[in-house]
């Protein structure tokens, strides 16, 4: 910006633009509010079912999200324009003030043809009118004026140029739709871009040879800007996919023994987290640069990355940078397809991931946790963690059968391997269980504030796929998946109850035999069995209080039928493991902790019924353990009489006008639910091939 442009600038047009953008913001806020409070509220409350329900809700949610992003982007543009306008006005006024002071010393500035300026005298003493006293000035005054004017012009130029840069960067964040980057002024947006460029260049040029002080700078900057969209995109694009992989591979290589390993090793986990959050956010940006970045990363993940002392796979590096953050759903599913294809080519992927096929052993690449976690050599662990943090991506992954059946590979066929410093639950399988739950429930199990959400068609497909392949695993069902499977069934409690209580077992929402086998496998662990029982108990009581047509006794009989089904699963589980020397300790009674936020919430009246029935079940469970009556005869319900009676009493409260609810008909009421429990147990036993006793 030259002197004349600033000195004579007319900001009326810019003021009009700011006013127009303010109007746009106001209108978009009104539209967003209408979409959120009217369209989305009605969609959430609608009693829809089937594929149309999931598609419609997804469209409504996306539309509401686009309106919110539009408000955010328009507000950021308006605020940056206003901040830039205020800065330029300030520079113009500052220039005028400097020139006015200079006039008092008989000096001023004039523009030159090349866009520059020169300091000249207003009136030369030799040409002044006779008797006119011309103010004097020194060379220092001339130099000060020149420097002051140049400084003002430099700052005005920077303000104008960087405003254009950040506005382009904001608009480019989304190739279609709107960006959700929030900036209240030009300075904050410019600083985000400059910081991203700075630390990306440190990593590119120095890698793990950076000084401890530079490491601290990189780590603290990533932490400060991990959620900043402009920073995320500029950092990822500047470093590039190859730069990301090379840096983490070199940092993980223990053969270096450099300054960072001696002084900053304990901070690697924090850097891993901050780098992961930044890259995850960057993949959400729908700009041409990030589209190219994601495609390149997918290509590089299957390649081997050479370091000083070892060679690692790109999948191993990238998966360890996926453990936290919300990665783009499409990127995750393409990544998962490529990872499984790679593992199937390896046939025994564990041998390749650990380096057991020859050459140096793979180094530790995961530094998050307390130091006793997995080494990060198994890329499936980090990838499953990424899916857990992105339930929609998880649902797509677990329901997909093209180009391969993903659920079949991760739940049944894939051979796990030890990837930690000590024996214990397999981290990859635990992560897979969490991802499976996210896929089927639409909830992130790591989010303590997550609430039950309506299921989509993809959630149901993921559930059907998961039940199928878990059931096919039979007694090879990994113990690490039991708790997640129990929560998964609990999350679908209404469908489990409807299926378990069915008379025609070939016409159920969930495959009856798959459900029975998975319920059995879940029940091989006391804690998981309790999760299953408590959550299905909620579904039973909710069904008792629900709106139905026909004779309400159906809900009483269904309650008994489901209890009989679950008792069959429990009996089969105990029979399977009764020769296990740790069996008694494993079945010692305990209360499962943690919130049951994965089941729907109901009003106080229903919740009181849920609590009363659950308490009756817990007392019976304690008595069963104390009496060493852990394995009942397959058709014996002496240990469930109080629980069934509690459910029957709850049914009577919900249906006070029914003949079975009358005081004199308690025997008939309990007989109805008891016989149904017997029938449910017999049906399940017959399906499992258990002979009557």
């Amino acid at each position: 910006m030259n002197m004349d442009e600033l000195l004579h600038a007319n900001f009326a047009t810019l003021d009009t633009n700011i006013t127009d953008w303010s109007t746009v913001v106001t209108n978009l806020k009104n539209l967003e509010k209408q979409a959120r409070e009217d369209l989305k509220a009605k969609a959430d409350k609608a009693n829809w079912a089937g594929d149309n329900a999931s598609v419609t809700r997804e469209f409504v949610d996306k539309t509401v999200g686009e309106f919110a992003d539009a408000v955010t982007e328009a507000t950021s543009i308006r605020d940056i324009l206003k901040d830039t306008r205020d800065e330029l006005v300030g520079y113009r006024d500052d220039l005028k003030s400097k020139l006015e002071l200079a006039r008092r010393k008989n000096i001023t500035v004039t523009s030159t043809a090349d866009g520059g300026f020169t300091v000249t005298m207003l009136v030369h003493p030799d040409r002044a009118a006779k008797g006119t006293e011309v103010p004097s000035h020194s060379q220092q005054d001339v130099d000060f004026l020149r420097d002051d004017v140049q400084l003002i012009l430099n700052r005005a130029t920077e303000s104008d140029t960087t405003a254009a840069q950040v506005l382009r960067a904001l608009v480019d964040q989304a190739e279609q739709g709107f960006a959700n980057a929030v900036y209240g002024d030009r300075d904050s947006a410019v600083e985000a871009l400059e910081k991203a460029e700075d630390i990306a260049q440190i990593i590119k040029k120095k890698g793990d040879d950076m000084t401890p002080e530079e490491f601290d700078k990189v780590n603290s900057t990533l932490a400060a800007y991990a959620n900043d969209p402009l920073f995320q995109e500029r950092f990822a694009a500047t470093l590039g996919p190859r730069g990301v992989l090379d840096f983490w591979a070199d940092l993980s290589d223990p053969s270096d023994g450099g300054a960072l390993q001696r002084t900053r090793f304990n901070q690697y986990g924090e850097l891993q987290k901050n780098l992961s959050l930044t890259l995850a956010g960057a993949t959400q940006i729908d700009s041409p640069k990030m589209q190219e970045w994601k495609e390149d990363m997918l290509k590089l993940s299957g390649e081997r990355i050479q370091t000083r002392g070892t060679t690692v796979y790109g999948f191993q590096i990238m998966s360890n940078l996926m453990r936290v953050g919300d990665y783009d759903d499409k990127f995750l599913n393409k990544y998962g397809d490529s990872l499984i294809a790679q593992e199937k080519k390896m046939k025994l992927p564990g041998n390749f991931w650990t380096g057991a096929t020859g050459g140096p052993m793979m180094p530790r690449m995961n530094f998050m946790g307390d130091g006793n976690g997995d080494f990060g050599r198994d890329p499936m662990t980090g990838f499953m963690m990424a899916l857990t943090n992105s339930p929609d991506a998880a649902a797509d992954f677990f329901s997909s059968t093209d180009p391969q059946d993903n659920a079949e590979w991760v739940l049944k066929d894939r051979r796990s391997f030890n990837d930690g410093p000590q024996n214990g639950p397999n981290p990859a399988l635990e992560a897979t269980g969490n991802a499976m739950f996210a896929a089927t429930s639409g909830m992130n199990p790591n989010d303590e504030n997550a609430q039950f959400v309506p299921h989509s068609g993809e959630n149901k497909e993921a559930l059907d796929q998961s039940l199928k392949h878990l059931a096919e695993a039979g007694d090879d069902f990994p113990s690490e998946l039991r708790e997640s499977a129990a929560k998964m069934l609990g999350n679908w409690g209404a469908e489990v109850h409807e299926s378990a209580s069915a008379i025609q077992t070939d016409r159920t929402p969930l495959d009856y035999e798959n459900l029975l086998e998975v319920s059995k496998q879940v029940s091989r662990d006391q804690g998981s069995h309790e999760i299953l029982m408590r959550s299905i108990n909620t579904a039973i009581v909710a069904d008792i209080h629900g709106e139905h047509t026909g004779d309400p006794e159906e809900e009483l009989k269904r309650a008994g039928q489901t209890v009989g089904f679950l008792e069959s699963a429990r009996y089969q589980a105990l029979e399977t493991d009764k020769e296990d020397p740790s069996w008694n300790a494993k079945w010692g009674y305990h209360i499962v902790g943690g919130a049951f936020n994965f089941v729907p919430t109901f009003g106080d009246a229903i919740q009181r019924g849920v609590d009363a029935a659950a308490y009756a079940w817990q007392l019976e469970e304690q008595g069963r353990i104390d009496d060493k009556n852990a394995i009942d005869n397959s058709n014996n319900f002496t240990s469930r009489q109080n629980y069934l009676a509690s459910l029957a009493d709850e049914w009577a409260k919900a249906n006070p006008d029914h003949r079975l609810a009358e005081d004199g008909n308690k025997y008939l009421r309990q007989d109805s639910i008891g016989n149904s429990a017997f029938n449910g147990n017999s049906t399940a036993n017959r399906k499992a091939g258990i002979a009557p006793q």
Side-chain angles (χ1 to χ4, degrees), residues 4-5 38 54 103 174 180 191 241 378 411 441 499 598 675 688:
D4 285 340
E5 288 174 337
D38 186 22
S54 61
R103 286 176 179 276
N180 62 354
E191 184 179 49
D378 188 343
L411 296 177
S441 68
S499 301
F598 52 87
N675 281 329

Side-chain angles (χ1 to χ4, degrees), residues 104-115:
R104 298 174 188 175
K105 295 184 179 182
N106 193 37
I107 52 177
T108 189
V109 293
T110 56
S111 299
T112 59
D114 61 358

Side-chain angles (χ1 to χ4, degrees), residues 312-328:
V312 298
Y313 286 89
F315 281 119
Q316 292 176 297
I317 295 298
M318 193 58 212
S319 286
N320 278 296
L321 298 177
M322 286 183 169
R323 291 171 178 252
V324 295
D326 184 8
Y327 274 81
D328 174 64

Side-chain angles (χ1 to χ4, degrees), residues 514-569:
N514 288 344
L515 176 62
L516 179 60
E517 178 63 27
V518 174
S519 297
K520 164 195 168 182
Q521 299 301 331
V522 162
S523 298
R524 293 173 68 183
D525 174 81
Q526 171 71 353
S528 299
H529 175 65
E530 183 178 347
I531 290 172
L532 177 63
M533 286 298 302
R534 285 178 60 184
S535 52
I536 302 307
N537 172 67
T538 300
I540 292 173
V541 175
D543 183 56
I544 287 173
H545 286 270
E547 295 184 6
H548 302 282
T549 58
D551 191 335
E553 188 179 0
E554 177 177 334
E555 283 66 61
L556 180 65
K557 289 182 174 295
R558 280 188 174 274
Q561 193 97 358
T562 293
V563 172
F565 173 95
L566 293 173
E567 279 297 293
S568 173

Side-chain angles (χ1 to χ4, degrees), residues 105-307:
K105 295 184 179 182
N106 193 37
I107 52 177
T108 189
V109 293
T110 56
S111 299
T112 59
D114 61 358
F117 67 90
T118 184
V119 179
T120 62
M121 286 188 289
L122 280 170
V123 179
H124 197 282
D126 294 341
R127 294 192 291 272
K130 189 176 181 179
T132 301
E133 184 177 347
V134 178
S136 62
H137 61 270
S138 65
Q139 183 60 41
Q140 187 179 50
D141 292 328
V142 173
D143 293 342
F144 280 169
L145 177 61
R146 179 199 64 206
D147 294 344
D148 286 346
V149 171
Q150 189 61 59
L151 181 61
I152 292 171
L153 292 178
N154 289 345
R155 288 176 174 173
T157 300
E158 180 185 11
S159 180
D160 186 48
T161 303
T162 55
Q165 290 175 350
V166 297
L167 287 172
R168 289 193 192 97
L170 270 176
V171 174
D172 289 344
Q173 289 254 309
E175 191 170 20
Q176 297 178 342
F178 303 92
N180 62 354
V182 180
Y183 299 97
D185 55 66
R186 179 197 62 85
D187 289 343
S188 61
V190 171
E191 184 179 49
L193 293 174
E194 291 176 345
K195 294 280 189 181
E197 186 78 30
D198 182 26
I199 65 167
Q201 290 297 339
I202 291 175
I203 295 175
K204 283 184 74 172
K205 294 176 181 178
K206 295 191 174 183
D208 65 338
D209 289 329
M210 69 178 71
T211 66
E213 291 73 24
E214 288 172 326
F215 178 95
D216 295 340
K217 180 180 181 180
V218 169
N219 198 14
S220 62
T221 304
L222 286 171
Y225 287 91
N227 297 316
D228 188 300
L230 284 182
F231 176 91
Q232 292 166 340
E233 181 188 28
R234 178 62 60 88
F235 173 80
T238 302
L239 185 55
R242 184 73 196 207
V244 171
L245 298 178
D246 284 341
F247 171 61
W248 201 254
D250 287 338
L251 195 70
S252 302
D253 185 354
S255 66
D256 172 86
L260 293 185
Q261 289 192 10
R262 295 193 304 271
T263 64
R264 296 295 186 271
F265 183 80
N266 290 335
Q267 296 175 35
Y268 280 14
E270 186 69 15
L271 177 64
Q272 182 181 354
K273 181 190 76 173
N274 295 330
L275 182 56
S276 301
L277 290 171
T278 301
L279 294 176
T283 64
Q284 297 282 2
I285 297 169
D286 188 30
S287 67
K289 286 182 180 179
M290 285 312 302
Q291 293 294 345
E292 182 180 2
W293 189 98
K294 287 181 280 191
E295 289 301 321
D296 288 345
M297 180 59 81
L298 291 173
K299 295 174 184 176
L300 290 170
S301 293
E303 295 185 8
R304 303 189 74 170
I305 310 298
Q306 181 67 52
T307 67

Side-chain angles (χ1 to χ4, degrees), residues 476-490:
D476 291 329
F477 188 111
S479 60
E480 291 90 343
L481 299 181
R482 290 173 187 163
E483 181 175 330
S484 293
K487 291 179 178 179
M488 175 181 73
L489 295 179

